[in-house]
Amino acid sequence: MSDVASQGADLMRAAVIDRHGGPEVIELRSVPVPRPGPDELVVRVAAAGCNNTDIWTREGAYGSGSGVRAGWLGPLSFPRVQGGDVCGTVVELGAGVGDRDLLGARVLLDPAGYDGPGRDASVADVLGSERDGGFAERVVVPAVRAHRVDDSPLSDVELAALPIAYGTALGMLERGGVGEGQQVLVTGASGGVGLAAVQLSGARGARVVAVCGAHKAAAVLAAGADVVVPRDGDVLTAAADAAPEGYDVVVDLVAGPFLGEGLGLLRRRGRWVVSGALAGSDVAFDVRRLYLSDLTVVGSTMHTRRVFDDLVTIARRGSVRPAVAATYALEHLEAAQRALATREHVGKIVVVPSSC
Amino acid sequence: MSDVASQGADLMRAAVIDRHGGPEVIELRSVPVPRPGPDELVVRVAAAGCNNTDIWTREGAYGSGSGVRAGWLGPLSFPRVQGGDVCGTVVELGAGVGDRDLLGARVLLDPAGYDGPGRDASVADVLGSERDGGFAERVVVPAVRAHRVDDSPLSDVELAALPIAYGTALGMLERGGVGEGQQVLVTGASGGVGLAAVQLSGARGARVVAVCGAHKAAAVLAAGADVVVPRDGDVLTAAADAAPEGYDVVVDLVAGPFLGEGLGLLRRRGRWVVSGALAGSDVAFDVRRLYLSDLTVVGSTMHTRRVFDDLVTIARRGSVRPAVAATYALEHLEAAQRALATREHVGKIVVVPSSC
């Protein structure tokens, strides 16, 4: 990763990739500051969160089944600036942006563009994947994707930890119907989405049993889990013992063989919500388990407009404070992504442009 | 199956089983007419529908995984009168039944008892499994399970075709969110629940593609399917061609390998609702299919109070007219169940006490 300083008012520093590959394909470059089109605005990036999806998109791993390298939503265009989680300040408004008060506002960007106007429309593009994202000094987005968070008690770095991980987790909780007094099991609880699910479930008044590596137990308990089940032991028995009447919801980022084995952990009408497959994507089970007990296996990708609005409310109230494991300067994005891939941290890794 | 005539005012004919086994364990006997306890009533059976669950319960097949013969909800008590689908006339009220006008009313019985007071409580007992059912001249049930259908344009035989098959299908449609204008695929469409799902989906304004044996296609089209896909061909390709934009809901009574192969038939946010496993209960799929497209696999057993109330409304309006394949006299229940097991019919098989 080369290091190029910003060279003037019309240039900015950005981490660019020209092809799929390992972290070595990330190049810090001086590029033209993007200008807003109609109904768009420019945000000066204060902080940009890192996510596993950045790594998988960079690697083109979403296309692996088809033998073609691709992002989640299809082939990527290059050059591309990644980074879907952005908190920053609005510095320029394009023509047609109705709310001129946005200029100067602190905003959290919705990483998603949608395929229709509804509150439950599907994700059609993602910041940093189908369009340039926040691993840069400036980013241009449609104005509707900028949500004001001036009054949030959270820092810029904390806010930038929220969109993808906490949005995905909140989407899972919504689709799984997690509510007060429920028993919730979270697998992969020390990861970005897992830890978010622990915190957000706790904030909803659920009792949370979390599965993670034993060396991360203290951090996951600190984030609000009621019980931690070590990943390396007999997870099934320990998880069953921790909720003798069964779980209302399992929030699963792990999948693999555990999904089939674990369905018996659910109580009647329980929901198994899955949004990742760290242990493998091949799952198998006896479908009688599902229908004789009215169970549901729910897949969940990211969030919807409805869910993101709820997340912005949480952000403004500061009702959940995301754990931040480390902050890296933009010029060290490559190191940040290498650290992310080791999975040794608990909490989010966030990138900050050192001068803006 | 022996044939014993009713021998007096205090005796009635009933089809009794004393143990699990084949249809030969069914014995027609003269037994005491049951008397109502507090809050119960006696119904003179006009018609009693047959269901696959009668056969599986008689065989004890629900316990096969554990090596123990059992009904759906656990071990059966003997002697037992089966028959969960009952239409008849109230002939006696027990103490404490508030609505004395029930006497003489035509009623449809809710086969389910529930584990709590809520509209979405779970099934705790089933008529003909945990308590004596309708393969007899009289049956006793809690008064709350008797729903008036005096004004229904449907015959007693048609009404007796509804509770379990149409209740189960309606529960699947509810849990799958089938609505107007949606694309719905029904597998096992010529069976009791499958045909009910075809009719009820059509009544909701959905477009229905039905999978069944080619020789049953005409009957399934007559029941309201828009397209029939023959079961013995390339179902996946034909089903995909029949709905190029994908299905909102698959109502699946078949499961087995088709479930994993077929998930790709669903459009984004689609629901695969399963309540049977005629092709086998082992299912396997790539869970990324589920979560990258926000798909859901929903298990569904029977119905809830809410669903049964909706079914009674449908019954009273006659907005769906169930297909009846054959009617058997009670003394020929054994033959009726043998016919049911051959799966050669389309529509319900209903038993009628020849003299009441």
Side-chain angles (χ1 to χ4, degrees):
Chain A
M1 185 168 169
S2 58
D3 193 356
V4 181
S6 179
Q7 289 164 8
D10 297 321
L11 293 175
M12 68 169 189
R13 293 182 310 154
V16 183
I17 59 173
D18 288 318
R19 62 185 191 282
H20 290 298
E24 71 282 355
V25 303
I26 302 169
E27 278 189 36
L28 195 69
R29 292 197 197 142
S30 190
V31 300
V33 169
R35 302 300 312 278
D39 301 319
E40 293 184 331
L41 49 72
V42 182
V43 170
R44 184 178 68 218
V45 178
C50 292
N51 292 284
N52 286 324
T53 191
D54 297 325
I55 296 176
W56 298 328
T57 299
R58 168 167 49 67
E59 293 173 343
Y62 290 107
S64 57
S66 61
V68 179
R69 288 179 157 195
W72 169 43
L73 292 164
L76 232 62
S77 297
F78 297 104
R80 179 58 73 222
V81 176
Q82 294 194 274
D85 281 351
V86 179
C87 176
T89 303
V90 177
V91 292
E92 189 178 356
L93 299 178
V97 176
D99 181 5
R100 308 308 288 184
D101 286 346
L102 273 171
L103 198 65
R106 180 163 82 146
V107 292
L108 188 62
L109 300 188
D110 186 343
Y114 301 94
D115 67 355
R119 301 257 294 151
D120 296 312
S122 295
V123 174
D125 78 84
V126 178
L127 197 61
S129 175
E130 282 63 49
R131 55 186 302 136
D132 283 340
F135 295 151
E137 290 177 325
R138 302 281 190 282
V139 60
V140 166
V141 292
V144 292
R145 287 164 81 152
H147 296 254
R148 295 189 70 143
V149 288
D150 313 72
D151 54 353
S152 169
L154 302 181
S155 69
D156 295 341
V157 166
E158 287 168 335
L159 287 166
L162 291 176
I164 290 178
Y166 287 73
T168 299
L170 196 59
M172 294 179 82
L173 269 48
E174 277 298 313
R175 279 174 68 75
V178 170
E180 187 163 359
Q182 294 189 351
Q183 306 283 325
V184 177
L185 181 71
V186 180
T187 71
S190 61
V193 180
L195 201 71
V198 168
Q199 292 185 283
L200 292 165
S201 297
R204 287 184 172 208
R207 177 173 172 273
V208 181
V209 178
V211 184
C212 67
H215 61 296
K216 295 179 180 172
V220 172
L221 286 167
D226 294 283
V227 178
V228 166
V229 167
R231 190 181 60 201
D232 300 323
D234 179 351
V235 173
L236 217 52
T237 302
D241 289 348
E245 303 203 339
Y247 292 91
D248 298 282
V249 183
V250 174
V251 176
D252 182 21
L253 285 315
V254 168
F258 183 67
L259 193 154
E261 297 161 3
L263 281 180
L265 293 169
L266 289 174
R267 59 198 305 178
R268 183 169 280 274
R269 293 187 169 258
R271 288 83 66 193
W272 189 289
V273 192
V274 58
S275 186
L278 295 173
S281 57
D282 291 334
V283 303
F285 53 85
D286 184 331
V287 77
R288 289 176 298 189
R289 279 210 155 152
L290 214 66
Y291 67 77
L292 293 178
S293 297
D294 284 316
L295 308 183
T296 306
V297 180
V298 185
S300 190
T301 42
M302 277 184 64
H303 57 259
T304 58
R305 281 194 185 91
R306 184 190 307 279
V307 169
F308 199 79
D309 285 347
D310 290 346
L311 184 63
V312 169
T313 301
I314 287 169
R316 294 180 61 170
R317 289 183 184 154
S319 42
V320 163
R321 186 172 289 272
V324 175
T327 306
Y328 286 75
L330 174 61
E331 53 264 41
H332 299 134
L333 175 63
E334 184 183 332
Q337 290 201 0
R338 288 186 192 276
L340 182 64
T342 66
R343 301 190 185 286
E344 287 305 313
H345 60 289
V346 176
K348 296 293 290 179
I349 291 178
V350 179
V351 164
V352 178
S354 49
S355 74
C356 355
Chain B
M1 183 167 170
S2 60
D3 193 357
V4 181
S6 179
Q7 290 164 9
D10 298 319
L11 293 176
M12 69 169 187
R13 293 183 308 153
V16 183
I17 60 173
D18 287 320
R19 62 184 192 284
H20 290 298
E24 71 284 354
V25 304
I26 302 169
E27 278 188 35
L28 194 70
R29 290 196 198 144
S30 190
V31 300
V33 169
R35 302 300 314 277
D39 302 318
E40 292 183 333
L41 50 73
V42 182
V43 169
R44 185 177 68 218
V45 177
C50 293
N51 292 283
N52 286 324
T53 190
D54 296 326
I55 297 177
W56 298 328
T57 299
R58 167 165 51 66
E59 293 173 343
Y62 290 107
S64 59
S66 62
V68 179
R69 288 179 157 197
W72 169 42
L73 292 164
L76 232 61
S77 297
F78 297 104
R80 178 59 73 224
V81 176
Q82 295 193 274
D85 280 352
V86 179
C87 176
T89 303
V90 177
V91 292
E92 188 179 357
L93 299 177
V97 176
D99 181 4
R100 309 307 287 184
D101 286 346
L102 274 171
L103 199 64
R106 181 163 80 147
V107 292
L108 187 63
L109 301 188
D110 186 344
Y114 301 95
D115 68 353
R119 301 257 293 152
D120 296 311
S122 295
V123 174
D125 78 83
V126 178
L127 198 61
S129 176
E130 283 62 50
R131 56 186 301 136
D132 283 340
F135 295 151
E137 292 177 324
R138 302 281 188 283
V139 60
V140 167
V141 291
V144 292
R145 287 165 80 152
H147 295 252
R148 295 188 72 142
V149 287
D150 313 72
D151 54 353
S152 169
L154 303 182
S155 70
D156 294 342
V157 166
E158 287 169 334
L159 287 166
L162 292 176
I164 290 177
Y166 287 73
T168 299
L170 196 57
M172 294 179 82
L173 269 47
E174 278 296 314
R175 281 174 66 75
V178 170
E180 188 164 357
Q182 295 189 352
Q183 306 284 325
V184 176
L185 181 71
V186 180
T187 71
S190 62
V193 180
L195 202 70
V198 169
Q199 292 186 282
L200 292 165
S201 297
R204 287 185 173 208
R207 177 172 173 273
V208 181
V209 178
V211 184
C212 66
H215 60 298
K216 296 180 181 171
V220 172
L221 286 167
D226 294 282
V227 179
V228 165
V229 167
R231 190 181 60 200
D232 300 322
D234 179 351
V235 174
L236 217 52
T237 302
D241 289 347
E245 302 205 335
Y247 292 92
D248 298 284
V249 183
V250 175
V251 176
D252 182 22
L253 286 315
V254 168
F258 183 67
L259 193 154
E261 297 161 4
L263 282 180
L265 293 170
L266 290 174
R267 59 198 303 177
R268 182 166 281 274
R269 293 189 169 257
R271 291 81 67 193
W272 188 290
V273 192
V274 57
S275 185
L278 295 173
S281 58
D282 290 334
V283 302
F285 53 85
D286 184 330
V287 77
R288 288 174 298 188
R289 277 210 157 151
L290 215 66
Y291 67 76
L292 293 179
S293 298
D294 284 317
L295 307 182
T296 305
V297 181
V298 185
S300 190
T301 43
M302 277 183 65
H303 57 258
T304 57
R305 279 195 187 89
R306 183 190 308 277
V307 170
F308 199 78
D309 286 347
D310 290 346
L311 183 63
V312 169
T313 301
I314 288 169
R316 293 179 62 171
R317 290 184 184 155
S319 43
V320 164
R321 186 171 291 271
V324 175
T327 306
Y328 285 75
L330 175 60
E331 53 265 41
H332 298 135
L333 175 62
E334 185 183 332
Q337 290 201 1
R338 288 186 193 275
L340 183 64
T342 65
R343 302 189 185 287
E344 286 306 313
H345 59 291
V346 176
K348 296 294 290 179
I349 291 177
V350 180
V351 165
V352 177
S354 49
S355 74
C356 356

